[in-house]
Amino acid sequence: MSSGNDSCMNGQESVNYFSCIIRLWEWIGLGNLEDYLSYVDYLVWVFTPLAIVFILPLFILLFLYLSILFLHVYKRKNELKEAYSNNLWDGARKTLATLWDGHATIWHGYEIHGLEKIPNKGAALIVYYHGAIPIDYYYFLAKVIIQKGRTCHSVADHFLFKLPGFKLLLEVFSVMHGPQEECARALKNGHLLAISPGGVREALFSDETYTLIWGNRKGFAQVAIDAKVPIIPMFTQNIREGFRSLGSIKFFRWLYEKFRLPIVPVYGGFPVKFRTYLGDPIPYDPNLTATELAEKVKEGVQALINRHQKIPGNILRALLERFHRRQKDD
């Protein structure tokens, strides 16, 4: 071994570079290089799928930041027109809606059923089930902008407003964190408004059983009563098969309950079929209390889940169903 090592050290041509690396590897006691490379290859094979399912959700965040970047560029380009136009952001909203709609079609074969129930004019409150990542709601917003020519105001959790760089995106797409008075004002002004009563808790801690985690929340119902508008239930099939959270782990639930920190790993990004279903509007009824109306809306969303979702949800089954459907269509 010493002679071979000397040859490497002296730079003799009789020993090529790769042979020197192998001899050096063996000399420092790390064993056979081929066995090591085989072991590394095995580890890569084992852990690559696991890495992918946690990396894919980051692409959604990246897509959101790209949307924000586009808005900043758009704002700078059109800032001189602001004084002359009341609809400065219409072009930006439609452009981003087209991009998100393209993503929805390609990756999830997205469909929406019942869009005609969304009024072309006037106010309505849309109430929906919250997935681990509400990407189905982003797709819904895109469809409303493209096909209805309307912007739907949204209610989001406070933590979203603390994310760096999100301020412009939230402003352009009329996202608010409440309170009830602001929500009622938007509806009274004739806007569409969407809210998920389950919010972050439902996103993180619901699972493949699609349990509604609304607690005793009825503020959304009171908003609809105050504004005298109908409520439209909404649910997206397979949203939990697209993205899952690790909310079943007790540590993450404790972290949220104790400190209100929504720090729960989300994995997925699976290209399962998404279908959003809009239920029949629940009309304004002055005889209903907020508690009664909230229960009626909950029953409406639950009815959509029972009718359109196989429970418990299964990622592999959802993937195979889309694959077989594609083959049949071809």
Side-chain angles (χ1 to χ4, degrees), residues 241-310:
E241 278 56 74
F243 294 91
R244 291 276 178 90
S245 75
L246 297 181
S248 59
I249 298 177
K250 292 182 178 180
F251 170 74
F252 295 120
R253 184 178 287 272
W254 172 83
L255 199 62
Y256 181 79
E257 298 291 351
K258 186 72 174 179
F259 303 103
R260 283 296 184 268
L261 294 176
I263 304 175
V264 178
V266 174
Y267 65 96
F270 304 110
V272 298
K273 182 77 173 180
F274 282 171
R275 293 184 182 90
T276 292
Y277 293 93
L278 292 157
D280 293 330
I282 301 170
Y284 165 69
D285 184 347
N287 297 318
L288 287 178
T289 65
T291 301
E292 293 169 336
L293 180 57
E295 187 60 32
K296 194 171 183 179
V297 176
K298 187 175 183 180
E299 291 173 357
V301 176
Q302 187 64 58
L304 292 175
I305 295 173
N306 295 341
R307 189 179 309 133
H308 301 291
Q309 182 63 51
K310 292 182 180 179

Side-chain angles (χ1 to χ4, degrees), residues 7-25:
S7 297
C8 289
M9 297 295 293
N10 294 330
Q12 296 182 15
E13 296 181 359
S14 59
V15 182
N16 61 39
Y17 178 76
F18 187 67
S19 298
C20 286
I21 293 296
I22 294 176
R23 289 180 182 178
L24 180 61
W25 193 275

Side-chain angles (χ1 to χ4, degrees), residues 80-301:
L80 294 178
K81 298 179 182 179
E82 188 170 3
Y84 305 98
S85 174
N86 294 324
N87 300 307
L88 173 67
W89 294 111
D90 278 357
R93 278 191 288 262
K94 290 177 182 177
T95 301
L96 289 179
T98 301
L99 293 174
W100 279 95
D101 190 54
H103 183 278
T105 301
I106 294 170
W107 196 248
H108 292 290
Y110 182 70
E111 298 175 6
I112 186 166
H113 299 267
L115 189 60
E116 68 279 358
K117 297 173 183 178
I118 301 293
N120 295 324
K121 294 181 179 180
L125 178 63
I126 296 100
V127 176
Y128 64 97
Y129 172 85
H130 202 305
I133 294 180
I135 190 170
D136 59 317
Y137 179 65
Y138 307 155
Y139 295 161
F140 166 75
L141 287 180
K143 287 290 187 185
V144 170
I145 291 172
I146 294 170
Q147 296 190 24
K148 292 285 185 178
R150 304 192 64 182
T151 300
C152 183
H153 293 223
S154 310
V155 178
D157 194 88
H158 287 78
F159 90 92
L160 198 62
F161 294 83
K162 299 177 182 179
L163 292 178
F166 264 57
K167 181 180 179 181
L168 181 60
L169 182 69
L170 299 178
E171 288 179 355
V172 171
F173 285 91
S174 303
V175 181
M176 63 185 76
H177 57 74
Q180 290 185 23
E181 293 78 10
E182 186 177 355
C183 295
R185 188 181 307 116
L187 290 170
K188 289 177 180 178
N189 288 334
H191 297 296
L192 298 172
L193 178 68
I195 186 171
S196 173
V200 172
R201 183 184 296 273
E202 189 167 89
L204 300 181
F205 304 118
S206 186
D207 53 25
E208 65 274 10
T209 62
Y210 286 82
T211 304
L212 295 176
I213 306 178
W214 293 13
N216 295 319
R217 292 185 177 179
K218 56 185 179 181
F220 68 95
Q222 188 61 56
V223 165
I225 291 173
D226 293 341
K228 300 180 180 180
V229 299
I231 298 179
I232 304 173
M234 187 174 84
F235 169 73
T236 299
Q237 182 186 55
N238 290 331
I239 186 58
R240 283 278 162 187
E241 278 56 74
F243 294 91
R244 291 276 178 90
S245 75
L246 297 181
S248 59
I249 298 177
K250 292 182 178 180
F251 170 74
F252 295 120
R253 184 178 287 272
W254 172 83
L255 199 62
Y256 181 79
E257 298 291 351
K258 186 72 174 179
F259 303 103
R260 283 296 184 268
L261 294 176
I263 304 175
V264 178
V266 174
Y267 65 96
F270 304 110
V272 298
K273 182 77 173 180
F274 282 171
R275 293 184 182 90
T276 292
Y277 293 93
L278 292 157
D280 293 330
I282 301 170
Y284 165 69
D285 184 347
N287 297 318
L288 287 178
T289 65
T291 301
E292 293 169 336
L293 180 57
E295 187 60 32
K296 194 171 183 179
V297 176
K298 187 175 183 180
E299 291 173 357
V301 176

